[in-house]
């Protein structure tokens, strides 16, 4: 629908007295659905919008949660969260959310899956242990969170070149989960 509107092609929506002057869409939801198409064979995808795949934090049916992605392989279990925002905007609340999911599902690895345009390498963050009060803070070597970007080509000259470049980037993006 968006492409039809942008190309000024015929469609039945917004004609006559009911003109369309804009369109609103949920970019974060679309990003999550797109990522699911790439990794659905290796990750479960609970969906809060449809209420399918709900998980619980606690016994007694308490603490409804919907992690974006839970690996189908339990050894090692991986939790992944789709973030439709720049790398630098993934911060404290995002960390707490993924760490809670990792703790709940006994996962040692978590991923943030975001659109990348700058060509940054993955950023691997090791969870700390210890306290600053006791001056014994040090990085653990068994629990990490990785910011893993899907590189979006920005130098394509046309749509067919863009789709060809995206296929290459999609393969590189998903290859880390097949290692």
């Amino acid at each position: 629908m968006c492409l039809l509107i942008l190309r000024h092609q015929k469609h039945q929506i917004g004609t006559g007295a009911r003109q369309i002057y804009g369109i609103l869409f949920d970019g974060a939801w679309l990003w999550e659905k797109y990522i699911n198409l790439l990794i659905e064979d290796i990750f479960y995808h609970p969906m809060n919008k449809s209420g399918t795949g709900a998980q619980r934090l606690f016994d007694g049916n308490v603490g409804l949660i919907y992690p974006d992605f839970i690996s189908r392989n339990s050894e090692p279990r991986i939790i992944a969260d789709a973030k439709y925002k720049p790398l630098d905007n993934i911060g404290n609340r995002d960390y707490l959310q993924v760490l809670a999911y990792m703790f709940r599902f006994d996962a040692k690895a978590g991923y943030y899956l975001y659109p990348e345009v700058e060509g940054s390498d993955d950023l691997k963050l090791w969870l700390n242990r210890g306290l600053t009060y006791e001056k014994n803070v040090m990085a653990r070597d068994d629990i990490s969170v990785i910011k893993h970007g899907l590189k979006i080509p920005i130098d394509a000259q046309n749509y067919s070149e863009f789709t060809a470049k995206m296929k290459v980037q999609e393969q590189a993006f998903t290859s880390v989960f097949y290692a």
Side-chain angles (χ1 to χ4, degrees):
M1 175 56 84
C2 293
L3 289 175
L4 290 175
I5 292 169
L6 291 173
R7 291 178 182 156
H8 303 287
Q9 293 178 338
K10 289 190 177 191
H11 55 83
Q12 300 300 314
I13 307 297
T15 59
R18 303 182 83 175
Q19 293 289 315
I20 292 178
Y21 296 100
I23 189 166
L24 182 63
F25 66 94
D26 185 344
W29 179 80
L30 288 173
W31 175 253
E32 183 178 320
K33 296 295 278 183
Y34 170 57
I35 294 299
N36 185 51
L37 291 174
L38 299 177
I39 63 175
E40 64 186 342
D41 58 330
I42 50 179
F43 282 90
Y44 298 113
H45 179 49
M47 293 179 278
N48 60 345
K49 287 192 184 274
S50 65
T52 58
Q55 304 295 310
R56 300 291 179 167
L57 280 172
F58 306 104
D59 67 346
N61 218 19
V62 175
L64 180 69
I65 58 173
Y66 290 93
D68 288 349
F69 301 100
I70 306 166
S71 65
R72 293 176 186 271
N73 185 357
S74 62
E75 291 298 326
R77 179 75 73 201
I78 298 170
I79 299 298
D81 193 34
K83 292 293 182 196
Y84 187 68
K85 56 184 176 179
L87 175 67
D88 294 339
N89 286 358
I90 300 171
N92 291 343
R93 287 184 180 204
D94 301 314
Y95 298 145
L96 294 174
Q97 178 187 34
V98 163
L99 287 171
Y101 294 158
M102 289 170 62
F103 187 74
R104 162 60 178 85
F105 298 104
D106 295 321
K108 301 291 185 187
Y111 280 83
Y112 293 106
L113 309 175
Y114 68 98
E116 173 64 55
V117 293
E118 297 175 10
S120 299
D121 291 331
D122 284 357
L123 177 60
K124 191 168 194 174
L125 306 170
W126 294 98
L127 185 65
N128 277 336
R129 70 174 56 171
L131 298 170
T132 55
Y133 296 110
E134 298 170 359
K135 297 180 176 54
N136 63 353
V137 175
M138 55 189 295
R140 299 173 62 127
D141 62 359
D142 61 337
I143 300 175
S144 65
V145 173
I146 300 147
K147 294 180 179 181
H148 181 59
L150 172 58
K151 293 172 181 53
I152 309 298
I154 57 173
D155 59 346
Q157 300 302 312
N158 54 52
Y159 181 73
S160 60
E161 183 181 343
F162 177 80
T163 57
K165 288 183 175 191
M166 274 306 297
K167 287 188 185 309
V168 170
Q169 294 304 326
E170 289 170 351
Q171 289 174 339
F173 177 79
T174 58
S175 68
V176 301
F177 301 114
Y178 291 102

